[in-house]
Amino acid sequence: MNRIAIYLRLSKEDEFASDESNSITNQRELILSYIRKDKTLRKMEVIELKDDGYSGKNMNRPGMQQLLEMVRHQQISVIIVKDMSRFSRDYLVLGQYTEQILPFMGIRFIAINDSYDSEECTGGVGEIDVAFKALLYDFYSEDMSQKIKSALMVRKREGRFMNVYAPYGYRKCADDRHKLEIEPEGAAVIRRIYSDYASGLGINKIAQNLNIEGVKTPADYVRDRDGRDYFRRGNNGNTWSSYAVSRILRNDIFGGIATVHKYHTRRVGGGGGVPYPKETWERIEGAFPALIDKETFEKVRAKTNSHRHQQRTAERHMLQGKIYCGNCGYAMAHTNAGRHSFFCSQRFTAADPTGCVKSINDSILEEILLELIREKIRNRIGMEDVIREEEAKRKGKISEARSRRHSLEESVAKIEADLFHAYEAYREGTTEKETYLEQKETYEQMLERLKENLEKQVQAVERMENESPVPEGWTPDSEYLQIEALDRTIIELLICRVLVYRDYRIEVIWNFKNEE
């Protein structure tokens, strides 16, 4: 199909780099100008895909996912970007697409500023240049990430709001998106929650009252306000829970306080936040307009701190995350207090909790599930397929891990060779000493990081190669596999979820198809 996909990306990196050439408009003009000058390309239909505000280290961007979907369905024949860093700043991912996936799919890839056109690249030097530039992008991302974090920290300390969306009860000011103003509808709900809790109402009862009255949850409120859904929610994500109420009561922003230095990421583009110790957090009073008066806010904060549950020391039950209430569909909680059991916590907050499960003993569940699993195995329904599928998945993961290890080994070898050639050039007088020392420092930094990653990858491959798809405790004989007791591995392998109903009827959704 003669269609060109032009991909444009702008991120926080570009905002702090102050490089106008990276703007979406300039990227578009550069690519369209390139297309107009090429007699083959200008005859093709052009489709534009873009991402604004997304890191190049993470491929999970809306525009990029749409582009890859087109690749999978062979709906395009050419991809054009301003430079390779627009596509990805992860050198392993970039190499995988430019050297394997896109050539296999027959898609031409052009990076204008890198003078790269896959149609003119037949192997060898071209691929090496791509890998080397990608390595530099990788280091650039790490360096830029630190600069961005520092700049964001300064802005937060100045009282500027830097999050993507305004929280419940606020909206961004029309004339300055880094300032917040109070939104009356949401603010009334927040104030009610604080007032009810300060007056002695429990968190569960507050959530239940909100559900009975049909008050919008934070997720629904923000979606309707902004016309965009920022949250991942399950089938029942539109009801208030005790957790949602608790988060509101513990959020400093409603007292007008900005909390800085709370989380960090382990790697650039990795997603997810790792909390810093609370004693290192910075709290800036008066950074935002307060929804709650100081006296009420401090009273509520003291109460929530005194009611904070002690961290659990008991081990996680093997069935946790697999047991669901058949009425409301929520995952059931487990308690070790008194009679060890699973219970539906939603019955404390739901508008109509009559159908939810009050409690079921965990040992009874274990006995029932063990017998059901044994029955399935005796009937040999899908068990061979389960093991075969698990083995196929395992082999696929090992193959991918080996490929990544090989890519890292090749990158290490190339950088070591470049370091040697840099030294040779200096020794022969081709390169000045200062230039050589700069090159040496850069290459050694690259090697240090690459070798660390390579060692981790080698260990990961060894660990995966030694793993078995058959859980420990399974003993094959001439007719079927025997299971003496349940464990988490067996449960993960066989069971998708277990639905428990109010009348204690149990429905198991298996990870394999029934063939009865």
Side-chain angles (χ1 to χ4, degrees), residues 153 251-252 259-264 274-277 281-282:
M153 192 72 73
N251 197 332
D252 284 342
T259 308
V260 181
H261 200 256
K262 289 179 66 176
Y263 302 97
H264 69 283
V274 180
Y276 285 112
W281 293 6
E282 298 179 36

Side-chain angles (χ1 to χ4, degrees), residues 341-500:
S341 60
F342 283 88
F343 64 95
C344 179
S345 60
Q346 285 302 110
R347 67 189 179 88
F348 301 115
T349 60
D352 181 15
T354 54
C356 293
V357 181
K358 286 186 177 181
S359 176
I360 183 168
N361 188 275
D362 54 18
S363 61
I364 293 175
L365 267 177
E366 291 174 30
E367 290 177 12
I368 293 172
L369 291 175
L370 180 57
E371 184 53 39
L372 288 174
I373 288 172
R374 286 171 174 168
E375 181 184 350
K376 288 294 181 186
I377 293 173
R378 282 194 294 269
N379 294 332
R380 298 183 62 81
I381 297 175
M383 295 310 303
E384 295 87 350
D385 290 340
V386 170
I387 297 173
R388 192 181 303 114
E389 288 173 9
E390 287 300 312
E391 179 63 17
K393 289 178 186 177
R394 173 177 169 272
K395 288 181 178 178
K397 290 178 180 177
I398 291 174
S399 176
E400 182 180 347
R402 286 173 177 167
S403 177
R404 291 178 69 84
R405 181 188 64 188
H406 181 66
S407 295
L408 285 167
E409 288 170 342
E410 287 185 332
S411 296
V412 167
K414 185 200 178 304
I415 298 301
E416 287 177 338
D418 286 345
L419 177 58
F420 175 76
H421 292 319
Y423 172 71
E424 288 288 301
Y426 162 64
R427 193 179 66 174
E428 294 172 4
T430 307
T431 305
E432 298 292 333
K433 181 178 181 180
E434 184 178 351
T435 301
Y436 164 66
L437 291 175
E438 289 178 358
Q439 291 176 327
K440 182 174 181 289
E441 182 181 5
T442 299
Y443 289 140
E444 287 177 345
Q445 287 178 4
M446 289 182 177
L447 280 172
E448 181 181 3
R449 182 171 172 210
L450 279 170
K451 286 180 178 179
E452 287 178 2
N453 290 339
L454 177 58
E455 178 60 28
K456 292 177 183 177
Q457 194 66 22
V458 168
Q459 293 174 3
V461 171
E462 290 177 354
R463 184 175 61 253
M464 294 168 70
E465 288 174 338
N466 292 327
E467 289 176 350
S468 170
V470 180
E472 186 178 351
W474 283 30
T475 55
D477 63 18
S478 59
E479 294 184 3
Y480 56 85
L481 297 171
Q482 297 177 342
I483 298 178
E484 299 300 326
L486 288 181
D487 61 30
R488 186 69 186 183
T489 304
I490 292 171
I491 292 163
E492 287 286 357
L493 182 64
L494 300 180
I495 296 175
C496 175
R497 62 171 56 191
V498 178
L499 300 178
V500 181

Side-chain angles (χ1 to χ4, degrees), residues 123-312:
V125 177
E127 280 79 0
I128 291 175
D129 286 344
V130 169
F132 184 69
K133 286 184 178 181
L135 275 170
L136 295 179
Y137 288 143
D138 197 23
F139 276 87
Y140 171 79
S141 289
E142 296 289 348
D143 180 61
M144 184 57 69
S145 175
Q146 293 303 319
K147 292 177 181 178
I148 292 169
K149 288 177 183 177
S150 299
L152 283 172
M153 192 72 73
V154 169
R155 295 189 181 190
K156 287 180 179 180
R157 289 191 179 110
E158 293 172 348
R160 303 187 71 185
F161 185 78
M162 302 302 295
N163 290 8
V164 175
Y165 63 89
Y168 204 157
Y170 291 97
R171 61 188 169 212
K172 294 184 179 183
C173 294
D175 57 344
D176 188 345
R177 63 192 179 95
H178 297 306
K179 289 184 179 180
L180 294 178
E181 61 184 13
I182 296 173
E183 194 284 308
E185 179 186 352
V189 177
I190 298 296
R191 289 172 179 142
R192 169 188 168 176
I193 290 172
Y194 271 78
S195 176
D196 287 350
Y197 187 72
S199 301
L201 208 60
I203 289 175
N204 287 332
K205 187 61 178 176
I206 293 172
Q208 186 178 46
N209 289 342
L210 294 170
N211 284 326
I212 291 172
E213 296 171 26
V215 176
K216 289 180 183 177
T217 62
D220 286 339
Y221 166 87
V222 172
R223 182 199 60 206
D224 293 345
R225 182 195 65 196
D226 296 356
R228 180 178 175 185
D229 199 343
Y230 300 95
F231 307 95
R232 290 183 179 180
R233 295 175 292 174
N235 295 332
N236 299 291
N238 60 341
T239 58
W240 284 89
S241 65
S242 56
Y243 176 70
V245 173
S246 179
R247 285 194 65 184
I248 287 172
L249 293 172
R250 296 182 187 278
N251 197 332
D252 284 342
I253 198 169
F254 301 120
I257 301 167
T259 308
V260 181
H261 200 256
K262 289 179 66 176
Y263 302 97
H264 69 283
T265 54
R266 289 190 177 93
R267 61 184 178 85
V268 179
V274 180
Y276 285 112
K278 283 196 173 182
E279 56 269 21
T280 68
W281 293 6
E282 298 179 36
R283 300 172 81 247
I284 303 166
E285 304 275 351
F288 310 114
L291 292 183
I292 310 300
D293 64 86
K294 189 172 183 179
E295 181 181 354
T296 304
F297 183 81
E298 290 179 351
K299 180 180 178 179
V300 166
R301 182 50 49 88
K303 189 176 178 182
T304 56
N305 288 338
S306 67
H307 287 178
R308 185 181 296 275
H309 296 294
Q310 296 295 322
Q311 189 169 355
R312 292 183 180 180

Side-chain angles (χ1 to χ4, degrees), residues 6 19 51 55 99-100 104 119 195 208 344 382 389 441:
I6 67 173
D19 185 354
D51 287 307
S55 169
E99 297 174 25
Q100 299 173 27
F104 177 78
E119 192 171 71
S195 176
Q208 186 178 46
C344 179
E389 288 173 9
E441 182 181 5

